Amino acid sequence: MDTLPRYAVPTPRTGTAALGARRGSGSDTAPETPGGLLARKLGNFVDLSDQEREVLDDLVRQHRQYGPREHLSLENGHSRSVSLILEGSACRYKILPDGRRQILTLFIPGDLCGRCLPDLDLGDESIVTLTAATVAVIPRQAFAPIIESYPRVARALAWNAMVEEGVHREWIVNIGQRTGYERIAHLFCELFHRLAAVGLTQGLRCELPLTQGELADALGLSAVHINRTVQQLRSDGLICLRGRELTILDFAALQSAAMFDGQYLHLSQAARRIEAGTMRTYPDL
Amino acid sequence: MDTLPRYAVPTPRTGTAALGARRGSGSDTAPETPGGLLARKLGNFVDLSDQEREVLDDLVRQHRQYGPREHLSLENGHSRSVSLILEGSACRYKILPDGRRQILTLFIPGDLCGRCLPDLDLGDESIVTLTAATVAVIPRQAFAPIIESYPRVARALAWNAMVEEGVHREWIVNIGQRTGYERIAHLFCELFHRLAAVGLTQGLRCELPLTQGELADALGLSAVHINRTVQQLRSDGLICLRGRELTILDFAALQSAAMFDGQYLHLSQAARRIEAGTMRTYPDL
DNA sequence: CGGTTTTTTGACGATGTTCAACTCTTGTGG
DNA sequence: CCACAAGAGTTGAACATCGTCAAAAAACCG
């Protein structure tokens, strides 16, 4: 913690461009169609054919999209539908009887909230949006014919769910073993990788879809401690966080401070994109 | 924490009977056949027919059982087989580069280690036994014909996996939000419910398949702190823990201290058994 | 611009860790 | 059956991490 490489803090003031708000506005090759977002996500697991992509695109297009961009609660308990996030972000959480809240999952564009398979009663878990969001609400039964006819898509959907589980297990490691400093760094790494995978990063900049209070609920820390530790990360020259705009100043140092190994995300595409594209944008780091 | 009901500590010295070692030795209706263990587990989700039970029994019988009772490492990364625990216990864990270890999942008799569906590369996760154990190693492909022919069994297997996920999410809540005292209490509640569901409890007594050091790795605490907090639980009259033998002295108080709600375990049978049978064994509490 | 949310700060206390030593139990081999 | 070694549990003291409370400053939104 104390032996991390330190840098002067340049706090690059690049103006407060709305990150991730506009589709395809300078972000790295964002998909054009809503369904393309889902296709891109599943493309991490299977190379989809044009036909398969089209089927997914139709699926999303055919189902009503709440919009444009409002805060809403995406069901709790067992719902009969799955929500695909098109814009914005959401989270799954659980609340203890005395009010303590734990955020369990973060959903970003391209993520499916809920299972495509018949689900168990999820008890006291709920899903709400963290920011204004656009979602496509797809009844679960709409997946059935696709799963029937396109086994590769079915496999990709199953793998997608397994990756979500893998993320949960990594969160257990994160909260259980890492210090506050490492935890925050790790979450930032994870989020950046995932955002990069759906083209919602610009260079080493992205939108952080959480307030510090929500970060606290996700990482099992208090909001005050989050604040102080974020300042630590800043003064160590690892990140620049102002409002919702997160800039990673030293990706290598951040990842090593977090002991981050993105393997569990299974984001083949993102990894390549970050290494080959984004990283090179800041060759001096 | 400090406002818990307190009781005198009777430390019942009932002799050190080997708990859970012998099948059907006084434990509440233990199953007779190895496959019956799996059938009982899946029976939590679906009412199985005799034929379905028999198929599961055959599956387990046909595949080699390591035995009798040795310590072993049940694969790491992606293996092509699934291990059914028949006796003893195991855990899945992950190790950070600097040696910190987080236990992710506890496996007790009747649990399947690994997925029946084609799995992703699990990266750096490993499974080892915590105690001497007997397991049936079932190649994943052996499930295929059963899943094909018995959709109800397939559904139960899928639900079983989903419950495992639910447990993971509850662990995130546990480690993220609860204090050490509450965490330990919660794990004890969870374990007792699960052991009761496979008939490995006697009254309010069961075998705790973890050392205090392993408890620490599972709960994100240090071994020393586990020790001190367990003593707290003892002096509060909630439990009696000597060696591997755990006796719950005040189930209601333990559950309320842990804010435990067993719904996430989906152990319909166990819940009923504990309430109707075990709880009544100690009517004075 | 006014009100609300979010971020920041300080002081203090609680929770949890580390290190090191010691005891107790358990299992093993002579 | 005992002696021994290894592992597990226990203890104390010093310390680090993290939480709570309360208030102020800053950013955000209509």
Side-chain angles (χ1 to χ4, degrees):
Chain A
M1 214 80 21
D2 301 309
T3 57
L4 286 169
R6 285 161 192 274
Y7 297 86
V9 196
T11 27
R13 316 226 156 205
T14 27
T16 345
L19 286 171
R22 290 158 295 167
R23 185 70 47 72
S25 65
S27 48
D28 314 315
T29 55
E32 319 70 32
T33 64
L37 203 56
L38 183 53
R40 168 182 284 204
K41 169 133 209 156
L42 299 184
N44 279 302
F45 311 110
V46 181
D47 282 324
L48 295 173
S49 69
D50 287 346
Q51 193 191 2
E52 286 163 333
R53 286 172 184 278
E54 205 156 324
V55 168
L56 289 172
D57 208 31
D58 282 350
L59 176 71
V60 176
R61 221 195 309 263
Q62 274 164 25
H63 292 95
R64 193 155 57 118
Q65 301 173 210
Y66 285 128
R69 344 196 84 249
E70 35 186 331
H71 277 270
L72 40 88
S73 152
L74 308 176
E75 294 308 339
N76 47 359
H78 51 199
S79 77
R80 302 212 153 276
S81 57
V82 179
S83 298
L84 171 68
I85 306 243
L86 299 173
E87 289 181 291
S89 55
C91 72
R92 191 202 325 258
Y93 67 89
K94 218 166 178 174
I95 292 195
L96 292 182
D98 66 349
R100 283 177 273 179
R101 178 175 78 148
Q102 176 67 43
I103 292 179
L104 297 163
T105 320
L106 292 178
F107 298 111
I108 61 169
D111 284 342
L112 288 167
C113 310
R115 291 290 129 73
C116 312
L117 307 170
D119 219 341
L120 281 178
D121 179 8
L122 284 182
D124 45 355
E125 297 179 8
S126 316
I127 297 180
V128 290
T129 53
L130 287 167
T131 64
T134 311
V135 302
V137 178
I138 308 170
R140 197 168 288 149
Q141 59 194 13
F143 281 95
I146 295 179
I147 289 174
E148 201 68 32
S149 317
Y150 299 88
R152 290 152 49 78
V153 174
R155 189 147 41 106
L157 284 168
W159 275 350
N160 185 49
M162 282 187 210
V163 169
E164 195 181 309
E165 289 175 59
V167 172
H168 285 149
R169 288 194 295 270
E170 185 60 42
W171 277 38
I172 294 178
V173 177
N174 202 27
I175 299 176
Q177 298 300 322
R178 284 187 254 258
T179 66
Y181 189 94
E182 298 164 330
R183 265 182 242 184
I184 299 176
H186 193 274
L187 184 63
F188 285 174
C189 289
E190 178 185 309
L191 258 177
F192 190 86
H193 273 262
R194 290 173 58 192
L195 288 169
V198 285
L200 290 175
T201 53
Q202 300 178 358
L204 283 177
R205 225 162 61 235
C206 69
E207 184 193 358
L208 185 71
L210 300 158
T211 68
Q212 294 188 4
E214 287 156 352
L215 273 176
D217 285 348
L219 294 172
L221 297 166
S222 70
V224 172
H225 198 246
I226 290 280
N227 184 277
R228 297 200 162 108
T229 312
V230 162
Q231 290 179 49
Q232 190 83 26
L233 282 164
R234 275 199 273 248
S235 68
D236 287 346
L238 300 185
I239 62 160
C240 169
L241 175 61
R242 21 203 346 274
R244 317 215 97 178
E245 181 182 326
L246 171 68
T247 308
I248 297 178
L249 300 176
D250 187 340
F251 212 150
L254 189 69
Q255 294 196 140
S256 97
M259 288 179 293
F260 179 82
D261 175 357
Q263 209 191 341
Y264 74 98
L265 290 173
H266 290 271
L267 253 36
S268 42
Q269 301 185 343
R272 247 179 271 128
R273 194 169 305 135
I274 289 173
E275 271 168 53
T278 320
M279 284 299 248
R280 253 209 306 260
T281 315
Y282 294 70
D284 49 307
L285 293 178
Chain B
M1 214 78 27
D2 301 310
T3 57
L4 287 169
R6 285 160 193 274
Y7 297 87
V9 196
T11 26
R13 316 227 156 204
T14 28
T16 344
L19 285 171
R22 289 158 296 166
R23 186 70 49 71
S25 64
S27 47
D28 314 316
T29 57
E32 319 70 32
T33 63
L37 204 55
L38 182 54
R40 167 181 283 205
K41 170 133 207 157
L42 298 185
N44 278 301
F45 311 111
V46 181
D47 281 323
L48 296 173
S49 69
D50 286 347
Q51 194 192 0
E52 287 164 333
R53 286 172 185 278
E54 205 157 324
V55 168
L56 289 172
D57 209 31
D58 281 351
L59 175 71
V60 176
R61 222 196 307 266
Q62 276 165 23
H63 292 95
R64 191 155 58 120
Q65 301 173 211
Y66 285 127
R69 345 194 84 247
E70 35 186 331
H71 278 270
L72 40 87
S73 153
L74 307 177
E75 292 309 339
N76 46 0
H78 51 200
S79 77
R80 303 209 153 278
S81 58
V82 178
S83 298
L84 172 68
I85 307 245
L86 298 173
E87 290 181 291
S89 55
C91 71
R92 192 202 323 257
Y93 66 90
K94 218 165 180 174
I95 292 195
L96 293 181
D98 68 348
R100 281 177 274 179
R101 178 176 77 147
Q102 176 67 44
I103 291 179
L104 297 164
T105 320
L106 292 178
F107 298 112
I108 61 170
D111 284 341
L112 287 167
C113 310
R115 290 289 130 73
C116 311
L117 308 170
D119 219 341
L120 281 177
D121 179 7
L122 284 181
D124 44 356
E125 297 179 8
S126 316
I127 297 180
V128 289
T129 52
L130 286 166
T131 64
T134 311
V135 302
V137 179
I138 307 170
R140 196 167 289 149
Q141 58 193 12
F143 282 96
I146 296 180
I147 288 173
E148 200 69 31
S149 317
Y150 299 89
R152 288 153 49 79
V153 174
R155 187 146 42 103
L157 284 169
W159 275 350
N160 185 48
M162 281 186 210
V163 169
E164 195 181 309
E165 290 175 58
V167 172
H168 286 149
R169 289 193 294 269
E170 185 60 43
W171 277 38
I172 294 178
V173 176
N174 203 26
I175 299 177
Q177 297 301 322
R178 284 188 254 258
T179 66
Y181 189 94
E182 297 164 329
R183 267 182 239 183
I184 299 177
H186 194 274
L187 184 63
F188 286 174
C189 289
E190 178 185 308
L191 257 178
F192 191 86
H193 273 263
R194 290 173 57 194
L195 288 169
V198 285
L200 290 175
T201 52
Q202 299 178 358
L204 284 177
R205 225 161 61 235
C206 69
E207 184 193 359
L208 184 72
L210 300 157
T211 67
Q212 294 190 0
E214 288 156 352
L215 273 176
D217 284 348
L219 294 172
L221 297 166
S222 70
V224 171
H225 198 245
I226 291 279
N227 184 279
R228 294 195 166 114
T229 312
V230 162
Q231 290 178 48
Q232 190 83 28
L233 283 164
R234 273 198 274 248
S235 68
D236 286 345
L238 300 186
I239 62 161
C240 169
L241 175 60
R242 22 204 344 274
R244 319 215 96 178
E245 182 183 325
L246 171 68
T247 307
I248 297 178
L249 299 177
D250 187 339
F251 213 150
L254 189 68
Q255 293 195 141
S256 97
M259 288 179 294
F260 179 83
D261 175 357
Q263 210 191 341
Y264 73 98
L265 290 173
H266 290 271
L267 253 37
S268 41
Q269 302 186 341
R272 247 178 274 128
R273 194 169 306 136
I274 289 174
E275 269 168 55
T278 320
M279 284 299 247
R280 253 207 307 263
T281 315
Y282 294 70
D284 48 307
L285 293 177

